[in-house]
Amino acid sequence: MNAETRAGTAAEDRAGILMVDDMEDNLIALEAVLGSFNEPLVRARSGEEALKALLRQRFAVVLLDIRMPGMDGFETAAHIKRVDQTKDVPIVFLTGSDTDAGYAFRGYATGAADYLTKPFDPWVLRAKVSVFLDLHRKNRQLERMVARERRQFEQLSAHLDELDSELSTHPAQEIFALRHHVRRMEETLRRMRNA
């Protein structure tokens, strides 16, 4: 892999961290804790802004405040989980320590991957976000590997089709046996692709 390809791959692996909170002080605190990751930090001041941001770019994790005017964190999470493009983005709920004990259960039931109370321990938040960033990178690598294998299978299948066409013009008994082997290889490829 050359340097340009590695740089492009590294850029593809990057994904933002979406911070959703209606309070400016909370967003500043999150940026201070997460800024050293050197990943894009994207702010949203409402659930509506968060949904728009999620449709514009990929995110490794969403840090979502529960108490917001208008669409609260639970409603925002429910919308995120309903859209195919965003349903797999992990959500970490952030809320004040004086909130209802049922909030944690409701958050997990909505599809949250985790739940932290404010004021949060910066090291705990960094550790959790780090895990989601690593998972995102590994998922992107896996997607590229699967796409590469699919392209290789398609190329091999095309070569086998060409060989079969070429062999069909030679009616000799030996070629009949070769065509039989080609068909068996094609069948194996089909089974592998379906698996």
Side-chain angles (χ1 to χ4, degrees):
M1 186 182 294
N2 63 31
E4 188 175 307
T5 304
R6 275 194 301 274
T9 299
E12 280 182 21
D13 288 342
R14 290 187 59 158
I17 300 166
L18 180 59
M19 306 170 303
V20 188
D21 201 309
D22 61 313
M23 304 290 290
E24 181 69 17
D25 291 345
N26 293 337
L27 292 170
I28 290 170
L30 288 170
E31 286 173 337
V33 171
L34 303 173
S36 62
F37 279 124
N38 292 323
E39 297 289 347
L41 300 175
V42 177
R43 292 172 162 222
R45 301 286 304 255
S46 67
E48 292 85 357
E49 279 184 38
L51 294 172
K52 288 176 186 173
L54 282 159
L55 294 175
R56 283 192 300 265
Q57 76 179 78
R58 287 185 104 150
F59 289 96
V61 63
V62 176
L63 304 175
L64 181 59
D65 184 38
I66 290 178
R67 290 186 174 180
M68 294 185 294
M71 186 187 306
D72 69 14
F74 297 122
E75 292 172 279
T76 303
H79 285 294
I80 291 169
K81 294 301 177 183
R82 275 194 285 260
V83 177
D84 282 343
Q85 182 180 338
T86 60
K87 69 181 179 185
D88 295 325
V89 178
I91 298 170
V92 176
F93 275 121
L94 303 173
T95 191
S97 58
D98 62 339
T99 55
D100 185 328
Y103 272 21
F105 174 77
R106 189 171 170 201
Y108 289 122
T110 309
D114 212 338
Y115 186 95
L116 287 173
T117 56
K118 297 183 233 177
F120 49 81
D121 181 329
W123 297 107
V124 171
L125 178 63
R126 281 184 55 78
K128 290 177 184 287
V129 169
S130 178
V131 168
F132 291 118
L133 290 170
D134 287 343
L135 283 172
H136 173 78
R137 286 183 202 107
K138 286 177 175 54
N139 282 338
R140 294 291 291 154
Q141 289 169 353
L142 185 60
E143 288 170 9
R144 280 194 304 277
M145 283 174 43
V146 167
R148 186 175 56 241
E149 286 183 4
R150 185 172 293 127
R151 283 191 306 272
Q152 289 171 343
F153 279 132
E154 288 169 359
Q155 288 172 350
L156 184 55
S157 182
H159 289 310
L160 287 173
D161 287 343
E162 287 174 24
L163 182 59
D164 187 47
S165 294
E166 194 174 311
L167 292 175
S168 67
T169 61
H170 299 80
Q173 184 65 21
E174 296 161 3
I175 293 179
F176 178 78
L178 285 173
R179 290 183 74 201
H180 176 71
H181 289 297
V182 167
R183 286 196 184 99
R184 286 180 51 202
M185 289 172 61
E186 287 174 332
E187 183 57 36
T188 302
L189 271 176
R190 271 193 288 279
R191 283 198 305 269
M192 289 172 69
R193 188 179 301 140
N194 291 335

